[in-house]
Amino acid sequence: MYLLFRDINEDQKATAIDSLIKDSSPNPSFFFLIVMSVLMSTFGLLINSPSVIIGSMLIAPILSPILSIALGITVGDNLLLRRSGFTIIKSLFYSIGVSALTTWLLWGVVKGNELMSVYNPEILSRTEPSIVYLFIAIIAGLATAFARVKPELNDTLPGTAIAVALVPPIATVGIGVATLNLTIISGALSMFLLNAIGIVIAAMVMFSLMNIYSKKKVVETSIKEVEQENKILERKIAQEKKKG
């Protein structure tokens, strides 16, 4: 195990923490990407297209706040936990709403009601959680947490995002809401939670092995910097509105 982590220095850990906190911040850019990824995933599910669904996973940033939850638990930072939890809950709210509205428009308005009772294999596969998906999430969590601290491995992150498949279950919940199907809603939500729990557990283990739990000060500094940047951005927006 020593050989695996011996070339990870303190600067890399600090950079990874700073990057993860910035990537998981609840800002407009984050939620824009969330909405775009869920829209794409919803379209892919409705037309039974695996390639479109895979594309939606590549642009989804939802993995970052889930990793931040693991980081917050590891270092014992309650503020990071609250920020990350808020980001995830708000993302779910937007995502389910967008998916439900899109499904209602496509099935109920464009295509007619005949498709309301037809759930294709891509949709149904997101409503059947099993222990295997938990193991997949754990492996993906270990790989993702490790790659975040190793800059040369960042190219592997899209692969782990595809493997763990967080966005399609969220989009499926929206489909279930639009069609008022509690079985679809509960199955898809269970799959999302199973994947998220697996990632959090695995990332906590990896962060602990990397001795990141000693970096609480770095976490606090990064959060302050991000919040300061957000305040500056808000001031600029307010000034532009006054000028307009």
Coordinates of all heavy atoms in Angstrom, one line a residue, residues 56-132:
S56 N -24.7 11.7 -21.6 CA -25.2 12.5 -20.5 C -24.3 12.3 -19.2 O -24.1 13.2 -18.4 CB -26.6 12.1 -20.2 OG -26.7 10.8 -19.5
M57 N -23.8 11.1 -19.0 CA -22.9 10.9 -17.9 C -21.6 11.6 -17.9 O -21.1 12.0 -16.9 CB -22.6 9.4 -17.7 CG -23.9 8.5 -17.6 SD -23.4 6.7 -17.6 CE -24.8 5.9 -18.2
L58 N -21.1 11.9 -19.1 CA -19.8 12.5 -19.3 C -19.9 14.0 -18.9 O -18.8 14.6 -18.6 CB -19.4 12.4 -20.7 CG -19.0 10.9 -21.2 CD1 -18.7 10.9 -22.7 CD2 -17.8 10.5 -20.4
I59 N -21.0 14.6 -19.0 CA -21.1 16.1 -18.7 C -21.7 16.3 -17.3 O -21.8 17.5 -16.9 CB -21.9 16.8 -19.8 CG1 -23.4 16.3 -19.8 CG2 -21.3 16.7 -21.2 CD1 -24.3 17.1 -20.8
A60 N -22.1 15.3 -16.6 CA -22.7 15.5 -15.3 C -21.7 15.7 -14.2 O -20.8 14.9 -14.0 CB -23.6 14.2 -15.0
P61 N -21.8 16.8 -13.5 CA -20.9 17.1 -12.4 C -21.3 16.6 -11.0 O -20.8 16.9 -10.0 CB -20.9 18.6 -12.4 CG -22.3 19.0 -12.8 CD -22.7 18.0 -13.7
I62 N -22.4 15.8 -11.0 CA -23.0 15.3 -9.7 C -22.0 14.5 -8.9 O -22.2 14.4 -7.6 CB -24.3 14.5 -10.0 CG1 -25.1 14.3 -8.7 CG2 -24.0 13.2 -10.7 CD1 -25.6 15.5 -8.0
L63 N -21.0 13.9 -9.5 CA -20.1 13.1 -8.7 C -19.2 13.9 -7.8 O -18.9 13.4 -6.7 CB -19.2 12.3 -9.7 CG -18.2 11.3 -9.1 CD1 -19.0 10.2 -8.3 CD2 -17.4 10.7 -10.2
S64 N -19.0 15.2 -8.1 CA -18.1 16.0 -7.3 C -18.7 16.3 -5.9 O -18.0 16.1 -4.9 CB -17.8 17.3 -8.0 OG -17.0 17.1 -9.1
P65 N -20.0 16.7 -5.7 CA -20.5 16.9 -4.4 C -20.6 15.7 -3.6 O -20.5 15.7 -2.3 CB -21.8 17.6 -4.6 CG -22.2 17.3 -6.0 CD -20.9 17.2 -6.8
I66 N -20.8 14.5 -4.2 CA -20.8 13.3 -3.5 C -19.4 12.9 -2.9 O -19.3 12.5 -1.8 CB -21.3 12.1 -4.4 CG1 -22.8 12.4 -4.8 CG2 -21.2 10.8 -3.8 CD1 -23.4 11.4 -5.8
L67 N -18.4 13.2 -3.7 CA -17.0 13.0 -3.2 C -16.7 14.0 -2.1 O -16.0 13.7 -1.2 CB -16.0 13.2 -4.4 CG -16.0 12.1 -5.4 CD1 -15.0 12.5 -6.6 CD2 -15.5 10.8 -4.8
S68 N -17.3 15.2 -2.2 CA -17.1 16.2 -1.2 C -17.8 15.8 0.1 O -17.3 16.2 1.2 CB -17.7 17.6 -1.6 OG -16.9 18.1 -2.7
I69 N -18.9 15.1 0.0 CA -19.5 14.5 1.3 C -18.5 13.6 1.9 O -18.3 13.7 3.2 CB -20.8 13.7 0.9 CG1 -21.9 14.7 0.5 CG2 -21.2 12.9 2.1 CD1 -22.6 15.4 1.6
A70 N -17.9 12.7 1.2 CA -16.9 11.8 1.7 C -15.7 12.6 2.3 O -15.2 12.3 3.4 CB -16.4 10.9 0.6
L71 N -15.3 13.7 1.6 CA -14.2 14.5 2.1 C -14.6 15.2 3.4 O -13.8 15.2 4.4 CB -13.8 15.5 1.1 CG -12.7 16.5 1.5 CD1 -11.4 15.8 1.7 CD2 -12.5 17.5 0.3
G72 N -15.8 15.7 3.5 CA -16.2 16.4 4.7 C -16.3 15.4 5.9 O -15.9 15.8 7.0
I73 N -16.7 14.2 5.7 CA -16.8 13.2 6.7 C -15.4 12.9 7.2 O -15.1 12.7 8.4 CB -17.6 12.0 6.3 CG1 -19.0 12.3 6.0 CG2 -17.5 10.9 7.4 CD1 -19.8 11.2 5.4
T74 N -14.5 12.7 6.2 CA -13.1 12.3 6.5 C -12.4 13.3 7.3 O -11.7 12.9 8.3 CB -12.3 12.0 5.2 OG1 -13.0 11.1 4.4 CG2 -10.9 11.5 5.5
V75 N -12.5 14.6 7.0 CA -11.8 15.6 7.7 C -12.6 16.2 8.9 O -12.1 17.0 9.7 CB -11.3 16.8 6.8 CG1 -10.5 16.2 5.7 CG2 -12.5 17.5 6.3
G76 N -13.9 15.8 9.0 CA -14.7 16.3 10.1 C -15.1 17.7 9.9 O -15.2 18.5 10.9
D77 N -15.4 18.1 8.7 CA -15.8 19.5 8.4 C -17.3 19.6 8.1 O -17.8 19.2 7.1 CB -15.0 20.1 7.2 CG -15.2 21.6 7.0 OD1 -16.3 22.0 6.7 OD2 -14.2 22.3 7.3
N78 N -18.1 20.2 9.1 CA -19.5 20.3 9.0 C -20.0 21.2 7.9 O -21.0 21.0 7.3 CB -20.1 20.7 10.3 CG -20.0 19.6 11.4 OD1 -20.0 18.4 11.1 ND2 -19.8 20.0 12.6
L79 N -19.2 22.3 7.7 CA -19.6 23.3 6.7 C -19.5 22.6 5.3 O -20.5 22.8 4.5 CB -18.7 24.5 6.7 CG -18.9 25.6 5.7 CD1 -20.4 26.1 5.7 CD2 -17.9 26.7 5.8
L80 N -18.5 21.9 5.0 CA -18.4 21.2 3.7 C -19.5 20.2 3.6 O -20.1 20.0 2.5 CB -17.0 20.5 3.6 CG -16.8 19.7 2.3 CD1 -16.9 20.7 1.1 CD2 -15.4 19.1 2.3
L81 N -19.9 19.5 4.6 CA -21.0 18.5 4.6 C -22.3 19.2 4.2 O -23.1 18.8 3.4 CB -21.1 17.8 5.9 CG -20.1 16.7 6.2 CD1 -20.3 16.2 7.6 CD2 -20.3 15.5 5.2
R82 N -22.5 20.4 4.8 CA -23.8 21.1 4.6 C -23.8 21.7 3.1 O -24.8 21.6 2.5 CB -23.9 22.3 5.6 CG -24.2 21.9 7.0 CD -24.8 23.0 7.8 NE -23.8 24.1 7.9 CZ -22.9 24.2 8.9 NH1 -22.8 23.2 9.8 NH2 -22.0 25.2 8.9
R83 N -22.7 22.2 2.7 CA -22.6 22.8 1.3 C -22.8 21.7 0.3 O -23.6 21.8 -0.6 CB -21.2 23.4 1.1 CG -21.0 24.7 1.9 CD -19.6 25.3 1.6 NE -19.6 26.0 0.4 CZ -19.0 25.6 -0.7 NH1 -18.5 24.4 -0.8 NH2 -19.0 26.4 -1.8
S84 N -22.2 20.5 0.5 CA -22.3 19.4 -0.5 C -23.7 18.8 -0.4 O -24.2 18.5 -1.5 CB -21.2 18.4 -0.1 OG -19.9 18.9 -0.1
G85 N -24.2 18.7 0.8 CA -25.6 18.2 0.9 C -26.6 19.1 0.2 O -27.5 18.6 -0.5
F86 N -26.4 20.4 0.4 CA -27.3 21.4 -0.2 C -27.2 21.3 -1.8 O -28.2 21.3 -2.5 CB -26.9 22.8 0.2 CG -27.7 23.9 -0.5 CD1 -29.0 24.2 -0.2 CD2 -27.0 24.6 -1.5 CE1 -29.6 25.2 -0.9 CE2 -27.7 25.6 -2.2 CZ -29.0 25.9 -1.9
T87 N -26.0 21.1 -2.3 CA -25.8 21.0 -3.7 C -26.5 19.8 -4.3 O -27.1 19.8 -5.3 CB -24.3 21.0 -4.0 OG1 -23.6 22.1 -3.5 CG2 -24.0 20.9 -5.5
I88 N -26.3 18.7 -3.6 CA -27.0 17.4 -4.1 C -28.5 17.5 -4.0 O -29.2 17.1 -5.0 CB -26.5 16.2 -3.2 CG1 -25.0 16.0 -3.4 CG2 -27.3 15.0 -3.5 CD1 -24.4 15.0 -2.5
I89 N -29.0 18.0 -2.9 CA -30.5 18.1 -2.8 C -31.1 19.1 -3.9 O -32.1 18.8 -4.5 CB -30.9 18.6 -1.4 CG1 -30.6 17.5 -0.4 CG2 -32.4 19.0 -1.3 CD1 -30.7 18.0 1.1
K90 N -30.4 20.2 -4.0 CA -30.9 21.2 -5.1 C -30.7 20.6 -6.5 O -31.6 20.8 -7.3 CB -30.1 22.5 -5.0 CG -30.7 23.6 -5.7 CD -30.0 24.9 -5.4 CE -30.6 26.1 -6.1 NZ -29.9 27.4 -5.8
S91 N -29.7 19.8 -6.7 CA -29.5 19.1 -8.0 C -30.6 18.1 -8.2 O -31.1 18.0 -9.4 CB -28.1 18.4 -8.0 OG -27.1 19.3 -7.9
L92 N -31.0 17.4 -7.2 CA -32.1 16.4 -7.3 C -33.4 17.1 -7.7 O -34.2 16.6 -8.5 CB -32.2 15.6 -6.1 CG -31.1 14.5 -5.8 CD1 -31.3 13.9 -4.4 CD2 -31.0 13.5 -6.9
F93 N -33.6 18.2 -7.0 CA -34.9 19.0 -7.2 C -34.9 19.4 -8.6 O -36.0 19.2 -9.3 CB -34.9 20.1 -6.2 CG -36.1 21.0 -6.4 CD1 -37.3 20.7 -5.9 CD2 -36.0 22.2 -7.1 CE1 -38.4 21.5 -6.0 CE2 -37.1 23.1 -7.2 CZ -38.3 22.7 -6.7
Y94 N -33.9 20.1 -9.1 CA -33.9 20.5 -10.5 C -34.0 19.4 -11.5 O -34.7 19.4 -12.5 CB -32.6 21.3 -10.8 CG -32.5 22.7 -10.2 CD1 -31.3 23.3 -9.9 CD2 -33.7 23.4 -10.0 CE1 -31.3 24.6 -9.4 CE2 -33.6 24.7 -9.5 CZ -32.4 25.3 -9.2 OH -32.4 26.6 -8.6
S95 N -33.2 18.3 -11.2 CA -33.1 17.2 -12.2 C -34.4 16.5 -12.3 O -34.9 16.2 -13.4 CB -32.0 16.2 -11.7 OG -30.8 16.9 -11.7
I96 N -35.0 16.2 -11.2 CA -36.3 15.4 -11.2 C -37.4 16.3 -11.9 O -38.2 15.8 -12.7 CB -36.7 15.0 -9.8 CG1 -35.7 14.0 -9.3 CG2 -38.1 14.4 -9.8 CD1 -35.9 13.6 -7.8
G97 N -37.4 17.6 -11.6 CA -38.4 18.5 -12.2 C -38.2 18.6 -13.7 O -39.2 18.5 -14.4
V98 N -37.0 18.8 -14.1 CA -36.7 18.9 -15.6 C -37.1 17.6 -16.3 O -37.7 17.6 -17.4 CB -35.2 19.2 -15.8 CG1 -34.8 19.0 -17.3 CG2 -35.0 20.7 -15.4
S99 N -36.7 16.5 -15.7 CA -37.0 15.2 -16.3 C -38.5 14.9 -16.4 O -39.0 14.4 -17.4 CB -36.3 14.0 -15.5 OG -36.6 12.8 -16.1
A100 N -39.2 15.2 -15.3 CA -40.6 15.0 -15.3 C -41.3 15.9 -16.3 O -42.2 15.4 -17.1 CB -41.2 15.3 -13.9
L101 N -40.9 17.1 -16.4 CA -41.5 18.0 -17.4 C -41.2 17.6 -18.8 O -42.1 17.6 -19.7 CB -41.0 19.5 -17.2 CG -41.5 20.5 -18.1 CD1 -43.0 20.7 -18.0 CD2 -40.9 21.9 -17.9
T102 N -40.0 17.2 -19.1 CA -39.6 16.7 -20.4 C -40.4 15.5 -20.8 O -40.9 15.4 -21.9 CB -38.1 16.4 -20.5 OG1 -37.3 17.6 -20.1 CG2 -37.7 16.0 -21.9
T103 N -40.5 14.6 -19.9 CA -41.3 13.3 -20.1 C -42.7 13.6 -20.4 O -43.3 13.1 -21.3 CB -41.2 12.4 -18.9 OG1 -39.8 12.1 -18.7 CG2 -41.9 11.1 -19.2
W104 N -43.3 14.5 -19.6 CA -44.7 14.9 -19.8 C -44.9 15.5 -21.2 O -45.9 15.2 -21.9 CB -45.2 15.8 -18.7 CG -46.6 16.3 -18.9 CD1 -47.7 15.6 -18.6 CD2 -47.0 17.5 -19.4 NE1 -48.8 16.4 -19.0 CE2 -48.4 17.6 -19.5 CE3 -46.3 18.7 -19.9 CZ2 -49.1 18.6 -19.9 CZ3 -47.0 19.8 -20.4 CH2 -48.4 19.7 -20.4
L105 N -44.0 16.4 -21.6 CA -44.1 17.0 -22.9 C -44.0 16.0 -24.1 O -44.8 16.0 -25.0 CB -43.1 18.1 -23.0 CG -43.3 19.4 -22.2 CD1 -42.1 20.3 -22.3 CD2 -44.6 20.1 -22.6
L106 N -43.0 15.1 -23.9 CA -42.7 14.2 -25.0 C -43.8 13.1 -25.1 O -44.2 12.7 -26.2 CB -41.3 13.6 -24.9 CG -40.2 14.5 -25.2 CD1 -38.9 13.8 -25.0 CD2 -40.3 15.1 -26.6
W107 N -44.1 12.5 -23.9 CA -45.1 11.4 -23.9 C -46.5 11.9 -23.9 O -47.4 11.3 -24.6 CB -44.9 10.5 -22.7 CG -43.7 9.6 -22.8 CD1 -42.7 9.7 -23.7 CD2 -43.4 8.5 -22.0 NE1 -41.8 8.7 -23.5 CE2 -42.2 8.0 -22.4 CE3 -44.0 7.9 -20.8 CZ2 -41.6 6.8 -21.9 CZ3 -43.4 6.8 -20.2 CH2 -42.2 6.3 -20.7
G108 N -46.8 12.9 -23.2 CA -48.2 13.3 -23.0 C -48.7 14.3 -24.1 O -49.9 14.3 -24.4
V109 N -47.8 15.1 -24.7 CA -48.2 16.1 -25.7 C -47.7 15.7 -27.1 O -48.6 15.7 -28.0 CB -47.6 17.5 -25.3 CG1 -48.0 18.5 -26.3 CG2 -48.1 17.9 -23.9
V110 N -46.5 15.4 -27.2 CA -45.9 15.1 -28.6 C -46.3 13.8 -29.1 O -46.9 13.6 -30.2 CB -44.4 15.3 -28.6 CG1 -43.9 15.0 -30.0 CG2 -44.0 16.7 -28.2
K111 N -46.1 12.7 -28.3 CA -46.3 11.4 -28.7 C -47.7 10.8 -28.4 O -48.1 9.8 -28.9 CB -45.3 10.4 -28.1 CG -43.9 10.5 -28.8 CD -43.9 9.9 -30.1 CE -42.5 9.7 -30.7 NZ -42.5 9.0 -32.0
G112 N -48.4 11.5 -27.5 CA -49.7 10.9 -27.1 C -49.5 10.0 -25.9 O -48.4 9.7 -25.5
N113 N -50.6 9.6 -25.4 CA -50.6 8.8 -24.2 C -50.4 7.3 -24.3 O -50.3 6.6 -23.4 CB -52.0 9.0 -23.4 CG -52.2 10.4 -23.0 OD1 -51.3 11.1 -22.6 ND2 -53.5 10.8 -23.0
E114 N -50.2 6.9 -25.6 CA -50.1 5.4 -25.8 C -48.7 4.9 -25.2 O -48.6 3.7 -24.9 CB -50.2 5.0 -27.2 CG -49.0 5.6 -28.1 CD -49.3 7.0 -28.6 OE1 -50.3 7.6 -28.2 OE2 -48.5 7.4 -29.5
L115 N -47.7 5.8 -25.0 CA -46.4 5.4 -24.5 C -46.4 5.4 -23.0 O -45.4 5.0 -22.4 CB -45.3 6.2 -25.1 CG -45.0 6.1 -26.6 CD1 -44.0 7.0 -27.1 CD2 -44.7 4.6 -27.0
M116 N -47.4 5.9 -22.4 CA -47.3 6.1 -20.9 C -47.2 4.8 -20.2 O -46.7 4.7 -19.1 CB -48.6 6.8 -20.4 CG -48.8 8.2 -20.9 SD -47.8 9.3 -20.0 CE -48.7 9.5 -18.5
S117 N -47.7 3.7 -20.8 CA -47.6 2.4 -20.1 C -46.5 1.5 -20.7 O -46.4 0.3 -20.3 CB -48.9 1.6 -20.3 OG -49.2 1.4 -21.7
V118 N -45.6 2.1 -21.5 CA -44.5 1.3 -22.1 C -43.2 1.8 -21.6 O -42.8 2.9 -21.9 CB -44.5 1.4 -23.6 CG1 -43.4 0.6 -24.2 CG2 -45.9 1.0 -24.2
Y119 N -42.5 1.0 -20.7 CA -41.2 1.4 -20.2 C -40.2 0.5 -20.9 O -40.2 -0.7 -20.7 CB -41.2 1.2 -18.7 CG -42.1 2.1 -18.0 CD1 -43.4 1.6 -17.5 CD2 -41.8 3.4 -17.8 CE1 -44.2 2.5 -16.8 CE2 -42.7 4.3 -17.1 CZ -43.9 3.8 -16.6 OH -44.8 4.6 -16.0
N120 N -39.3 1.1 -21.7 CA -38.3 0.3 -22.4 C -37.2 -0.2 -21.5 O -37.1 0.1 -20.3 CB -37.7 1.2 -23.6 CG -37.0 2.4 -23.0 OD1 -36.1 2.3 -22.2 ND2 -37.4 3.6 -23.5
P121 N -36.4 -1.1 -22.0 CA -35.3 -1.8 -21.2 C -34.4 -0.8 -20.5 O -33.9 -1.0 -19.4 CB -34.6 -2.6 -22.2 CG -35.6 -3.0 -23.3 CD -36.5 -1.7 -23.4
E122 N -34.0 0.3 -21.2 CA -33.1 1.3 -20.6 C -33.7 1.9 -19.3 O -33.0 2.2 -18.4 CB -32.8 2.4 -21.6 CG -31.8 1.9 -22.7 CD -30.4 1.5 -22.1 OE1 -30.1 2.0 -21.1 OE2 -29.7 0.7 -22.8
I123 N -35.0 2.2 -19.4 CA -35.7 2.7 -18.2 C -35.8 1.7 -17.1 O -35.5 2.0 -15.9 CB -37.1 3.3 -18.6 CG1 -37.0 4.4 -19.5 CG2 -37.9 3.7 -17.3 CD1 -38.3 4.9 -20.1
L124 N -36.3 0.5 -17.4 CA -36.5 -0.5 -16.4 C -35.2 -1.0 -15.8 O -35.1 -1.3 -14.6 CB -37.1 -1.8 -17.1 CG -38.6 -1.5 -17.6 CD1 -39.1 -2.8 -18.3 CD2 -39.5 -1.2 -16.4
S125 N -34.1 -0.9 -16.5 CA -32.8 -1.3 -15.9 C -32.3 -0.4 -14.8 O -31.4 -0.7 -14.0 CB -31.7 -1.4 -17.0 OG -31.4 -0.1 -17.6
R126 N -32.9 0.8 -14.8 CA -32.5 1.8 -13.8 C -33.4 1.7 -12.5 O -33.4 2.6 -11.7 CB -32.6 3.2 -14.3 CG -31.2 3.7 -14.9 CD -30.9 3.1 -16.2 NE -29.5 3.4 -16.6 CZ -29.0 3.1 -17.8 NH1 -29.8 2.5 -18.7 NH2 -27.8 3.4 -18.1
T127 N -34.3 0.7 -12.5 CA -35.2 0.6 -11.4 C -35.1 -0.7 -10.6 O -35.9 -1.1 -9.8 CB -36.7 0.7 -11.9 OG1 -36.9 -0.4 -12.8 CG2 -36.9 2.0 -12.7
E128 N -33.9 -1.4 -10.9 CA -33.7 -2.7 -10.3 C -32.4 -2.7 -9.6 O -31.4 -3.4 -10.1 CB -33.8 -3.8 -11.4 CG -35.2 -3.8 -12.1 CD -35.2 -4.8 -13.3 OE1 -34.1 -5.3 -13.6 OE2 -36.2 -5.0 -13.8
P129 N -32.3 -2.1 -8.4 CA -31.0 -2.0 -7.7 C -30.6 -3.4 -7.2 O -31.5 -4.2 -6.8 CB -31.2 -1.0 -6.6 CG -32.7 -1.1 -6.4 CD -33.3 -1.3 -7.7
S130 N -29.3 -3.7 -7.1 CA -28.9 -4.9 -6.5 C -27.5 -4.7 -5.9 O -26.9 -3.7 -6.1 CB -28.8 -6.0 -7.6 OG -27.7 -5.8 -8.5
I131 N -27.0 -5.7 -5.1 CA -25.8 -5.6 -4.4 C -24.6 -5.4 -5.4 O -23.6 -4.8 -5.1 CB -25.5 -6.8 -3.6 CG1 -24.4 -6.6 -2.6 CG2 -25.3 -8.1 -4.4 CD1 -24.6 -5.5 -1.6
V132 N -24.8 -5.9 -6.6 CA -23.7 -5.8 -7.6 C -23.4 -4.3 -7.9 O -22.3 -3.9 -8.1 CB -24.1 -6.5 -8.9 CG1 -23.0 -6.3 -10.0 CG2 -24.2 -8.0 -8.7

